Amino acid sequence: MRRLASVLAAMCLIGLRPGRSLGPNSALGLKGGLHVSPLSIEDPAQPDLEVESRTGLVLGAFLECGGESWFALQGEVNYSQNGAKVRGGSSASRIDLDYIRVPVLIMARVGRKESTLYPLVYAGPQLAFQVSCGVEADSDGGSQSYDCDSEELEDPLETRNVEFGLVFGGGVEYLFGGFKMELDARYNLGLTNMNGGTDASVASLKNRGWSFTVGLGKLLK
């Protein structure tokens, strides 16, 4: 936990002017919630594909460092479950993609300086590192789970390990008794084509997703 806090602090301090502290309303905490991930899949060879979203978990830690009462930076390290159920013709399979996501968010607070409730909006870049990739495919009237690159699959799925994307969202912060509660909703826009196979130039697989989380942090004063 101490190492994670050090990483988050470094992420925040990069965006602050030299000699500045973490600032007012800064907090270190944990968060969790749901992640709904409608994968964007485009494959000219299979134009009839139907893609259904996967609903999974998102869990992580955050460090909010407020350079000013109206402005803050927030670094996060989150684990999120992504994927989709894909139907094409008479067959169906499920793709499970799990990531460690590291966003750095620029946040704008709305409200009076002395308030304890702050609506906020934010945006920022995000790096995601793939933890696992699995496929559950139809097999002899049942289903079987495989790693994405398993040789037992008729058409193994090769994916890239690192993704770059953007995050947009908003929520509210509530200050009470030395703590901060954070409720937010965000959209994760993956910009990297995660298809790393030989057909990557024509077939595209990009992560998209909505996250809805609750966070609780200790104010750093």
Side-chain angles (χ1 to χ4, degrees), residues 1-217:
M1 184 65 182
R2 181 177 299 176
R3 180 176 297 179
L4 178 57
S6 299
V7 172
L8 292 172
M11 291 164 58
C12 278
L13 289 173
I14 287 172
L16 298 176
R17 295 195 300 272
R20 294 298 297 271
S21 66
L22 290 180
N25 299 341
S26 297
L28 175 66
L30 301 174
K31 63 190 309 181
L34 296 178
H35 183 75
V36 182
S37 55
L39 283 179
S40 173
I41 300 177
E42 297 179 5
D43 187 352
Q46 302 182 71
D48 61 338
L49 283 180
E50 298 179 12
V51 182
E52 300 177 8
S53 301
R54 176 193 182 191
T55 299
L57 296 176
V58 55
L59 302 168
F62 68 91
L63 175 64
E64 181 180 330
C65 41
E68 304 291 346
S69 60
W70 57 271
F71 164 82
L73 291 177
Q74 181 158 299
E76 299 180 2
V77 177
N78 300 317
Y79 166 76
S80 71
Q81 296 178 324
N82 302 253
K85 188 169 186 178
V86 182
R87 298 180 183 274
S90 59
S91 64
S93 60
R94 195 181 78 184
I95 304 171
D96 292 337
L97 291 162
D98 295 349
Y99 292 89
I100 297 295
R101 298 189 176 278
V102 185
V104 179
L105 306 175
I106 301 172
M107 310 175 76
R109 297 189 181 103
V110 182
R112 297 176 299 174
K113 183 176 180 179
E114 64 277 9
S115 176
T116 59
L117 182 66
Y118 291 92
L120 54 85
V121 293
Y122 56 79
Q126 174 176 257
L127 279 177
F129 304 91
Q130 183 176 291
V131 176
S132 64
C133 179
V135 175
E136 185 176 295
D138 291 341
S139 176
D140 298 327
S143 62
Q144 185 70 38
S145 297
Y146 305 92
D147 290 335
C148 287
D149 58 357
S150 172
E151 296 180 356
E152 297 183 53
L153 288 172
E154 181 179 342
D155 187 13
L157 176 62
E158 298 179 38
T159 56
R160 303 183 192 279
N161 293 322
V162 180
E163 172 197 69
F164 177 76
L166 299 174
V167 175
F168 308 92
V172 293
E173 295 178 339
Y174 176 61
L175 309 179
F176 63 98
F179 291 88
K180 170 182 294 186
M181 179 174 286
E182 183 180 284
L183 305 175
D184 79 346
R186 68 180 58 176
Y187 183 68
N188 299 280
L189 176 65
L191 301 178
T192 302
N193 180 6
M194 298 305 291
N195 177 18
T198 56
D199 62 345
S201 61
V202 293
S204 171
L205 187 157
K206 294 182 179 180
N207 282 300
R208 302 286 190 267
W210 286 95
S211 296
F212 306 91
T213 63
V214 178
L216 181 64

